[in-house]
Amino acid sequence: MAWLAGVALQMQQAALWPRGAYLALAGGALVLGALAWRWRRGPWGVGAITVALALLAFGSTGWRAQARLAERLDPALEGRNLLVTGTVAAMPQLGPSGTRFRFTVEQAWLDGRRVSLPSQLALGWYRGFADEDPLDEPRAELRAGQRWRLPLRLKQPHGAMNPAGFDSELWLWEQGVRATGYVRVRAQGPAAERLGDATGHPVERARQALRDAIVREVSDPRAAGVLAALVVGDQAAIERADWDLFRNTGIAHLMSISGLHVTMFAWLAGLVVAGAWRRSERLVLWLPASLAGRWGGLLVATGYALLAGWGVPAVRTLLMLAVAVLLRSAGMRWPWLLVLLVAAVVVTLQDPWALLQAGFWLSFAAVGLLLLSEAADSARPQRGWHHRLLGLLRSQAVATLGLAPLSLVFFQQLSVVGFVANLLAIPLVTLLVTPLAMLGVLVAPLWSLAALLVQALVAVLAVLAAWPAAVWQVPVAPGWGMACGLAAAVVALVPAPWRVRWLALPLALPLLLPPVQRPAPGRFELVVADVGQGTAVLVRTRSHLLLYDTGPQYGRDADAGQRVLVPLLRARGETAIDVLMLSHRDTDHVGGAASVMAALPVRALSSSLEPGHPLRQGPAADAACEAGQSWLWDGVRFEVLHPGAAEHAGPHKPNAVSCVLRVADTLGRSVLLTGDIEAPQEAALLARHGAALRSDLLLVPHHGSRTSSSPAWLDAVQPRVAVVQAGYRSRFGHPAPQVLARYAERGVPVVRTDQCGAYVWHDGAAECTRHVRRRYWHWTPPEGGADVANPEAGAGTHDPQIR
């Protein structure tokens, strides 16, 4: 435990210390450990060993983090046209928007001179998403192990940073990826050139060959994706709708290479090896068949884990199996909880940052709960099949109850139908689908039989997911609420009198029904979400919510609504949107609207969209936003300032009819949301409202484009702070340098979501999510707080945005 505590403590650092400090800590820990060994029989021995382990874990993890952080992309190389030679290091993943793959760098050039890059890159070879985005088509022949010379554009790892949102920068850090980018093939530039095949990565080549064979053999792409995930660990092959179904029914853990699959494979292989071993008298005399079966099962399970991509759950299970086999071989029997602890330490020795993965805790908790249930069952007499069935039901109930708090802590949702779904899915997937899928490697028609079982399972799960209240969703609980919920699971499952176990109910309430903070009457809270190059703003009063725009569409299969806004709204405990205001039709403002409207009830829609627009065909009350409209929510005044009836009537480009909304509380604090209005619309608003435009916070018009934020406009609004919603290294050069200069001349601080993350403004106080959640693996703004110069900034180009 001391080792794990030291690793966890180091990961709370916002910035790393000098490498020498970590080496000194590790050296001091070794000295203290040596002294503790001399004192081992004294009262200080255990305490000294505990402190020494924690210091060694802290120091070694920090030293490794320094080494990884040193391998970073030079900011001067971001967005530049590079020519890079290297090897496709992993099985490429196919998607609607193109192909994603890992690339191991050998050499790189910029304008004919050699440059240094991180060794591992995460790349995309995308299809053009829009007419102005003519990217080269992904190459169908891209395969693991091939050597390529590719024209690339790269950037440092940088992702959206929102409250309780997914940390993509941590995910890339864990994978050892220190730069991302895309293949950029143009008619006037160098071509992508394949230099050779089969130059390495034999396991990845075999994985890709098996995946391709499954896709060819199985006609149903949904079933083929599930089988590919079970055989070679290609979770990206499962469609997003199916992942939602599996999560909502609580069986997502079965659709990836989990510890359950690895254990089952080791058990079956062990039986086969032991049976074959017993046929040779000479082999049995050399090594007992039971021991040979254990080692054979471990070796075969290791091969399966390699074929499946060597994921954390598989590695964790292999380590536990290896410890158990070693102990049995040595004639030792450790308690299973101690075996679990040793396996956890070994996993963090290999990958300290696995400690931050939800799967790490869920996997170990699941194994521990099953062992607890098994121990309880072994104490009861087993008479007949019905007693065994009751034991299986009891084990499933213990696992479901024990994992529920962790599911609520990590995912803020719990499948109410998960108990029933797992009773069907666990035996079907582990005893039928997975073995058939693996045997299909030898007899391909078995894949079709496994696909039929998958189709039947999906049909049953769809029925279960359609039940009312099939999923229990909660807001993010405070830290004390999470602690109470985890304590409730322990109290409910420990062997104790029922009068003690009943205490679990009040302990679970803060996690099941967490308190949600709302503004006081007459006040409001503003959340400017980090959605990249686009706009999305939440305005929350005491009992109402307005969502202003929904961010961009990132590609054919992803948008800001599905990736950012729906998780953000649910984490905040929002169950409905009172008004969804879509400022205008540009996709960086309405790209996520369909996902938001599908996930949450929208009571009213206000927009400048044309009458026939698809987004205006939903069940919500639909009206055009028009100057003069106003309403009062909980004492907070909302007023639409633009467009007027004349703008709606005449032919205008979408920016010109952007809905402009002013929000003011009872203390006079106000914000002005401006969409993509440009200088002519600013002038019209000045003529209409003049000094009444003055606001404390200004959402910078048109993401800081040089066509907006005119001097007269800024002099009238006089904001105390201006917020720019723009993507990291925006392809449009937003915010333009000359616009930033105008704000600087007036002493107006500019907050950029690409540097701040989501900007939360409440009662005049504000915070940047990127600052609040800061850890050493996160992207940090360059010195001085300004972004590194973009060679194309302000040019208004339409080159592809680095993805």
Side-chain angles (χ1 to χ4, degrees):
M1 292 301 292
W3 176 274
L4 298 178
V7 173
L9 184 62
Q10 191 280 330
M11 292 177 188
Q12 304 309 307
Q13 290 191 287
L16 291 175
W17 297 338
R19 182 174 296 189
Y22 296 112
L23 291 176
L25 274 179
L30 294 176
V31 173
L32 184 58
L35 293 174
W37 179 254
R38 296 187 60 185
W39 303 336
R40 63 186 182 277
R41 296 185 180 180
W44 301 100
V46 175
I49 290 176
T50 301
V51 173
L53 284 174
L55 290 177
L56 183 61
F58 190 103
S60 62
T61 304
W63 181 83
R64 293 174 65 179
Q66 274 284 12
R68 185 166 295 188
L69 194 65
E71 191 184 21
R72 64 192 293 263
L73 179 68
D74 184 347
L77 298 178
E78 287 189 289
R80 305 296 299 273
N81 295 321
L82 303 171
L83 191 61
V84 183
T85 298
T87 306
V88 180
M91 175 177 63
Q93 295 184 334
L94 310 177
S97 297
T99 303
R100 299 190 304 273
F101 60 100
R102 296 290 172 82
F103 199 64
T104 300
V105 174
E106 298 174 3
Q107 295 177 326
W109 297 267
L110 172 65
D111 299 332
R113 62 181 175 87
R114 288 282 298 273
V115 293
S116 178
L117 297 180
S119 60
Q120 295 294 322
L121 307 178
L123 300 177
W125 204 329
Y126 298 108
R127 298 180 178 91
F129 175 59
D131 292 339
E132 71 273 13
D133 195 15
L135 295 176
D136 187 52
E137 284 292 311
R139 298 298 175 99
E141 64 267 25
L142 191 69
R143 305 190 69 80
Q146 292 176 339
R147 290 185 70 243
W148 284 78
R149 183 179 292 119
L150 298 173
L152 302 177
R153 278 196 173 181
L154 302 177
K155 68 166 186 173
Q156 297 182 59
H158 184 287
M161 188 65 65
N162 291 283
F166 176 68
D167 191 346
S168 61
E169 293 170 36
L170 170 61
W171 185 83
L172 290 169
W173 171 274
E174 289 175 329
Q175 305 298 314
V177 174
R178 303 302 298 139
T180 64
Y182 65 95
V183 179
R184 187 175 188 267
V185 177
R186 294 298 178 99
Q188 294 78 19
E193 182 181 0
R194 191 174 67 191
L195 304 178
D197 289 322
T199 57
H201 305 283
V203 174
E204 292 298 325
R205 295 205 308 272
R207 294 178 68 210
Q208 186 170 1
L210 283 175
R211 184 193 64 185
D212 294 348
I214 291 172
V215 172
R216 289 193 301 269
E217 182 71 25
V218 179
S219 58
D220 180 7
R222 296 177 64 185
V226 172
L227 297 181
L230 292 174
V231 174
V232 298
D234 186 10
Q235 297 185 29
I238 299 180
E239 297 182 4
R240 177 165 287 109
D242 287 334
W243 272 126
D244 291 339
L245 176 64
F246 299 150
R247 277 192 292 266
N248 290 340
T249 52
I251 70 155
H253 62 287
L254 296 174
M255 296 305 168
S256 56
I257 304 301
S258 67
L260 186 62
H261 297 141
V262 174
T263 303
M264 181 270 298
F265 211 71
W267 176 68
L268 290 176
L271 290 178
V272 173
V273 171
W277 201 269
R278 288 188 182 95
R279 295 181 176 273
S280 171
E281 183 177 350
R282 186 176 180 181
L283 289 176
V284 170
L285 290 175
W286 177 66
L287 186 70
S290 59
L291 197 57
R294 294 189 189 106
W295 282 105
L298 179 63
L299 289 174
V300 173
T302 301
Y304 176 48
L306 282 169
L307 188 64
W310 202 246
V312 170
V315 173
R316 178 262 308 157
T317 304
L318 279 175
L319 290 173
M320 285 192 294
L321 291 172
V323 171
V325 170
L326 284 170
L327 291 174
R328 289 293 183 91
S329 300
M332 302 170 63
R333 290 180 178 270
W334 283 6
W336 270 106
L337 289 179
L338 183 57
V339 174
L340 278 176
L341 184 60
V342 171
V345 171
V346 176
V347 168
T348 56
L349 281 171
Q350 180 205 30
D351 176 16
W353 299 279
L355 202 64
L356 299 175
Q357 293 183 7
F360 177 92
W361 297 102
L362 289 168
S363 297
F364 278 98
V367 174
L369 289 166
L370 290 175
L371 293 175
L372 177 65
S373 176
E374 182 180 313
D377 287 341
S378 63
R380 300 183 179 92
Q382 301 292 323
R383 299 176 182 174
W385 65 268
H386 59 286
H387 287 282
R388 296 184 180 276
L389 178 59
L390 287 175
L392 291 174
L393 292 174
R394 188 181 299 109
S395 297
Q396 182 60 43
V398 167
T400 300
L401 181 62
L403 293 178
L406 284 174
S407 297
L408 292 173
V409 166
F410 288 120
F411 310 118
Q412 293 81 54
Q413 74 172 44
L414 177 66
S415 175
V416 178
V417 300
F419 179 79
V420 176
N422 275 281
L423 285 178
L424 169 66
I426 287 177
L428 183 64
V429 174
T430 58
L431 300 180
L432 290 176
V433 174
T434 302
L436 286 172
M438 295 304 300
L439 289 172
V441 175
L442 303 175
V443 184
L446 291 178
W447 282 329
S448 298
L449 179 58
L452 291 175
L453 295 176
V454 170
Q455 291 169 341
L457 175 63
V458 168
V460 175
L461 294 177
V463 173
L464 291 176
W467 287 5
V471 180
W472 180 268
Q473 293 178 327
V474 298
V476 173
W480 63 267
M482 295 180 185
C484 286
L486 296 175
V490 174
V491 171
L493 295 174
V494 294
W498 278 104
R499 63 179 179 273
V500 175
R501 295 190 183 188
W502 282 115
L503 293 176
L505 289 178
L507 281 173
L509 287 178
L511 187 57
L512 291 171
L513 300 169
V516 178
Q517 293 185 346
R518 295 291 186 238
R523 315 285 180 82
F524 68 92
E525 180 185 18
L526 187 84
V527 180
V528 183
D530 183 5
V531 294
Q533 184 67 33
T535 296
V537 180
L538 282 66
V539 184
R540 169 37 99 167
T541 68
R542 180 69 177 179
S543 56
H544 294 87
L545 173 69
L546 179 139
L547 177 58
Y548 182 89
D549 283 342
T550 58
Q553 185 171 0
Y554 300 126
R556 289 180 171 89
D557 60 340
D559 59 70
Q562 169 248 335
R563 284 193 179 179
V564 177
L565 295 179
V566 171
L568 175 61
L569 291 166
R570 287 176 172 165
R572 290 172 51 85
E574 305 291 358
T575 57
I577 300 170
D578 293 285
V579 171
L580 173 59
M581 181 170 286
L582 301 177
S583 64
H584 62 295
R585 64 169 298 135
D586 284 358
T587 56
D588 58 334
H589 293 253
V590 302
S595 294
V596 170
M597 297 171 78
L600 291 170
V602 174
R603 298 191 174 106
L605 175 66
S606 177
S607 73
S608 64
L609 304 177
E610 64 274 16
H613 196 283
L615 290 174
R616 296 188 66 173
Q617 310 307 311
D622 175 34
C625 64
E626 189 169 322
Q629 295 172 346
S630 64
W631 63 94
L632 206 64
W633 280 348
D634 307 310
V636 178
R637 182 173 180 81
F638 293 74
E639 185 178 6
V640 178
L641 306 182
H642 184 83
E647 286 84 4
H648 273 300
H652 297 283
K653 65 179 184 178
N655 289 355
V657 292
S658 293
C659 305
V660 176
L661 180 69
R662 189 173 185 272
V663 184
D665 67 11
T666 54
L667 297 180
R669 300 190 184 100
S670 57
V671 301
L672 190 60
L673 308 179
T674 57
D676 279 357
I677 61 170
E678 299 179 349
Q681 291 77 51
E682 293 174 353
L685 283 165
L686 284 172
R688 191 181 304 150
H689 299 282
L693 292 171
R694 184 171 182 175
S695 301
D696 296 298
L697 185 147
L698 172 66
L699 187 66
V700 173
H702 201 181
H703 317 286
S705 166
R706 59 188 179 188
T707 62
S708 304
S709 296
S710 59
W713 168 262
L714 297 182
D715 291 338
V717 178
Q718 298 183 33
R720 295 184 180 182
V721 62
V723 182
V724 177
Q725 284 187 292
Y728 178 63
R729 298 192 58 81
S730 165
R731 62 178 177 179
F732 304 113
H734 294 158
Q738 56 267 50
V739 170
L740 293 176
R742 290 180 207 145
Y743 285 93
E745 290 168 0
R746 291 159 178 80
V748 179
V750 176
V751 176
R752 302 171 48 162
T753 54
D754 60 335
Q755 297 183 357
C756 164
Y759 182 74
V760 182
W761 193 78
H762 184 97
D763 281 346
E767 65 181 25
C768 284
T769 303
R770 187 169 285 276
H771 299 163
V772 172
R773 297 181 62 182
R774 171 76 66 206
R775 294 294 184 271
Y776 56 80
W777 54 80
H778 288 146
W779 177 89
T780 55
E783 294 295 330
D787 198 1
V788 176
N790 182 344
E792 299 172 350
T797 63
H798 287 258
D799 285 339
Q801 180 182 359
I802 290 181
R803 303 176 188 229

